């Protein structure tokens, strides 16, 4: 019941954001190709605000996809009711975002210009929108093909991993435009590897 309510709510929210999505989609696709495009997007106040608004609108659909196909499925969550597991999906997502925010504050590099750092940080929003759109498309297509949930789950996990690796590459390119590649890699480890590791390791071990 709760899933259905949130699904309707997310559909309405995304529908209201449709014009923004159409306007910003070319810029989002360009961010997949070159790190510099994230800097260009951040330079446009309208595009950056639309991107941030869209990223917020994608939170509910993403968490619903994660719930529906159990993209985050550590064994210690076995036995939870559907509503409880759905709540855990949202809680894990929000905790991950909070942890990233704390690390962004703790490891704020003094030598990287504010504009470049902001573009690197906000590039996560662009890739999150792209990933959510892809997962939603996969869910629709694979549901029509009537594929088993297990197949859909593994396909989504592989696609998510590929998008994440591409995101790391583009973020490194943004950082390295103002510092050495080695320094960019260290920033990447602090800002991305730590929170992602904290998210993934419990799911593997437990």
């Amino acid at each position: 019941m709760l899933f259905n309510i949130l699904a309707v709510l997310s559909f309405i929210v995304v529908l209201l954001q449709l014009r923004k999505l159409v306007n910003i989609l070319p810029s989002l696709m360009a961010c997949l190709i070159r790190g510099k495009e994230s800097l260009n997007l951040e330079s446009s106040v309208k595009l950056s605000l639309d991107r941030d608004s869209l990223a917020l609108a994608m939170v509910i659909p993403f968490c619903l996809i994660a719930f529906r196909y159990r993209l985050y499925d550590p064994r210690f969550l076995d036995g939870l009711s559907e509503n409880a597991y759905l709540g855990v999906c949202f809680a894990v997502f929000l905790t991950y975002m909070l942890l990233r925010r704390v690390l962004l504050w703790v490891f704020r590099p003094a030598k990287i210009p504010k504009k470049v750092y902001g573009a690197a940080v906000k590039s996560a929003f662009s890739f999150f929108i792209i990933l959510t759109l892809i997962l939603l498309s996969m869910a629709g297509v694979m549901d029509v093909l009537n594929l088993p949930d297990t197949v859909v789950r593994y396909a989504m996990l592989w696609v998510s991993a590929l998008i994440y690796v591409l995101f790391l590459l583009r973020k490194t390119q943004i950082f390295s435009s103002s510092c050495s590649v080695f320094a960019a890699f260290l920033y990447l480890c602090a800002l991305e590897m730590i929170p992602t590791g904290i998210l993934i390791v419990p799911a593997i071990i437990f």
Side-chain angles (χ1 to χ4, degrees):
M1 182 63 178
L2 179 60
F3 177 87
N4 294 333
I5 293 173
L6 291 176
V8 172
L9 176 62
S10 66
F11 175 78
I12 294 172
V13 171
V14 172
L15 192 62
L16 293 174
Q17 299 281 333
L18 195 56
R19 175 175 289 185
K20 293 180 181 179
L21 177 59
V22 172
N23 290 336
I24 201 175
L25 193 58
S27 296
L28 294 178
M29 293 299 103
C31 290
L32 291 173
I33 302 172
R34 294 193 306 168
K36 184 179 178 181
E37 295 300 330
S38 291
L39 290 167
N40 295 337
L41 193 157
E42 202 63 30
S43 297
S44 170
V45 175
K46 184 180 186 309
L47 287 178
S48 61
L49 288 176
D50 286 350
R51 186 269 320 279
D52 295 350
S53 177
L54 275 168
L56 184 60
M58 292 294 171
V59 171
I60 296 179
F62 177 82
C63 290
L64 292 180
I65 287 288
F67 163 78
R68 171 66 180 79
Y69 295 101
R70 301 191 75 89
L71 300 185
Y72 187 74
D73 192 29
R75 287 190 295 273
F76 63 82
L77 296 181
D78 291 346
L80 289 181
S81 67
E82 287 194 356
N83 287 346
Y85 179 68
L86 181 58
V88 168
C89 288
F90 279 94
V92 168
F93 180 87
L94 294 176
T95 302
Y96 178 68
M97 291 295 103
L98 179 61
L99 178 59
R100 285 173 58 91
R101 178 60 60 181
V102 171
L103 292 175
L104 289 173
W105 178 75
V106 172
F107 294 105
R108 170 70 172 92
K111 295 183 178 180
I112 295 181
K114 185 177 180 180
K115 178 182 176 180
V116 175
Y117 186 69
V121 170
K122 293 292 187 69
S123 65
F125 294 176
S126 301
F127 280 83
F128 174 65
I129 295 169
I130 293 168
L131 173 61
T132 304
L133 290 174
I134 292 175
L135 293 182
L136 288 171
S137 301
M138 290 177 65
V141 171
M142 292 185 176
D143 186 58
V144 170
L145 296 177
N146 200 29
L147 294 176
D149 285 355
T150 303
V151 173
V152 180
R153 176 176 181 267
Y154 281 111
M156 287 184 171
L157 288 174
W158 275 107
V159 168
S160 299
L162 289 174
I163 294 295
Y164 184 70
V165 170
L166 186 58
F167 160 65
L168 294 180
L169 175 61
R170 298 296 174 243
K171 191 168 185 175
T172 302
Q173 291 175 336
I174 297 170
F175 276 139
S176 60
S177 67
S178 297
C179 64
S180 67
V181 175
F182 179 70
F185 176 74
L186 292 180
Y187 288 135
L188 201 67
C189 289
L191 300 176
E192 295 296 338
M193 302 303 184
I194 292 176
T196 302
I198 292 174
L199 176 70
I200 293 177
V201 170
I204 296 176
I205 297 177
F206 303 107

